[in-house]
Amino acid sequence: MHMTTSRAAFIAAPLLTGAYGVFRLVNGMGGERQPGFSWTAGHLCFLLALGCFVRAFAVMRARAGAGRLATVGYWLATVGATAVAGQFAIDLVVGWISPDRAAMALRYDQIQAVPGVMPVCYTVLPLLFFVGQTILVGQLARRRVLRPWAPVLVLVDNLLPFADKDLIPLGAVLLLISYAPLYRSEPTPELRFS
C-alpha cells in the first residue's frame, strides 16, 4: 500500500497541479479572480498536490542514491513546498473570509505587511521548491532513471507560471511526462532520515 501510494504521487502531483490551473482559469473568466467555489477548490487541489510532491521528493532522493546533492535537493524542495503551502493556506483563509476581490486585496495587504511573511511565504522560500525539484530531477536523469530531457521539461514547468500563470495546466502536462518513468518503474523504498 505504501509503495503504491508513493508511486501514485508522481501522477497525482501533476494532475492536482493541473486541476488548480484549470480552476484558476475558470475563476478568471469573468474578469478578476473572486473568492468562491473555484478559488477554494483550486487552492485545495494545490495543497494536496504539495503533499504528493513531498512524498515524491523522498522517493526521488532514494532513487537518486541519496548522495549529498540529492539530499540537498530533497531538503530545498521540501522547505520550499512548506513555504508554498503557507502561501496557499493564507489564500484559502483570505478567500473564505472575504466577500469579494476588494476585501481580499485589503486582507492581503494586512497579512503581507507582517514582518517575515513576504520572504517566507511569497518571495524567497517558495523558490526553493523549484530549485530542489530541478536538482532532484537532474540527479535522476544523470543516473538514467529519468530521460535526459526530463530536467528541461521540469525547468520549463517551473518557469511557465512566472511568465503567465494561465500556463500552469501546460506545465502540469510537462511534469506528468517527466515523472512518468518514476510511476512505471519498480518502487524504491524511501530512505529513513533518523
Side-chain angles (χ1 to χ4, degrees):
M1 174 73 175
H2 176 69
M3 293 299 178
T4 303
T5 305
S6 296
R7 289 175 64 193
F10 293 108
I11 300 298
L15 289 179
L16 287 165
T17 300
Y20 162 68
V22 170
F23 278 119
R24 190 178 181 285
L25 286 170
V26 168
N27 192 0
M29 284 182 173
E32 286 193 334
R33 288 172 176 81
Q34 300 289 330
F37 174 77
S38 293
W39 178 273
T40 302
H43 283 77
L44 286 173
C45 282
F46 199 75
L47 279 171
L48 290 171
L50 288 169
C52 293
F53 275 116
V54 170
R55 171 69 68 105
F57 294 154
V59 175
M60 291 166 79
R61 176 182 177 263
R63 294 292 305 271
R68 185 171 294 150
L69 192 53
T71 299
V72 167
Y74 167 77
W75 285 111
L76 289 176
T78 301
V79 168
T82 304
V84 175
Q87 179 185 144
F88 274 70
I90 290 169
D91 289 351
L92 271 172
V93 171
V94 167
W96 185 260
I97 63 176
S98 301
D100 56 29
R101 185 69 194 187
M104 287 174 66
L106 181 62
R107 287 192 171 90
Y108 276 126
D109 288 344
Q110 293 168 341
I111 291 167
Q112 292 173 359
V114 175
V117 168
M118 285 301 289
V120 169
C121 294
Y122 290 92
T123 59
V124 178
L125 291 186
L127 296 176
L128 300 180
F129 173 78
F130 305 111
V131 172
Q133 180 183 35
T134 304
I135 290 171
L136 285 168
V137 172
Q139 289 296 292
L140 290 170
R142 189 178 66 79
R143 292 178 65 96
R144 298 186 178 163
V145 175
L146 292 178
R147 305 288 186 258
W149 39 260
V152 175
L153 291 185
V154 170
L155 184 60
V156 171
D157 164 58
N158 289 338
L159 293 175
L160 282 175
F162 294 102
D164 187 343
K165 289 186 179 176
D166 288 348
L167 298 174
I168 289 172
L170 172 61
V173 171
L174 298 179
L175 198 59
L176 192 61
I177 293 167
S178 301
Y179 279 2
L182 291 166
Y183 177 76
R184 290 193 306 259
S185 63
E186 286 299 311
T188 301
E190 294 175 28
L191 296 176
R192 301 286 177 213
F193 293 98
S194 55

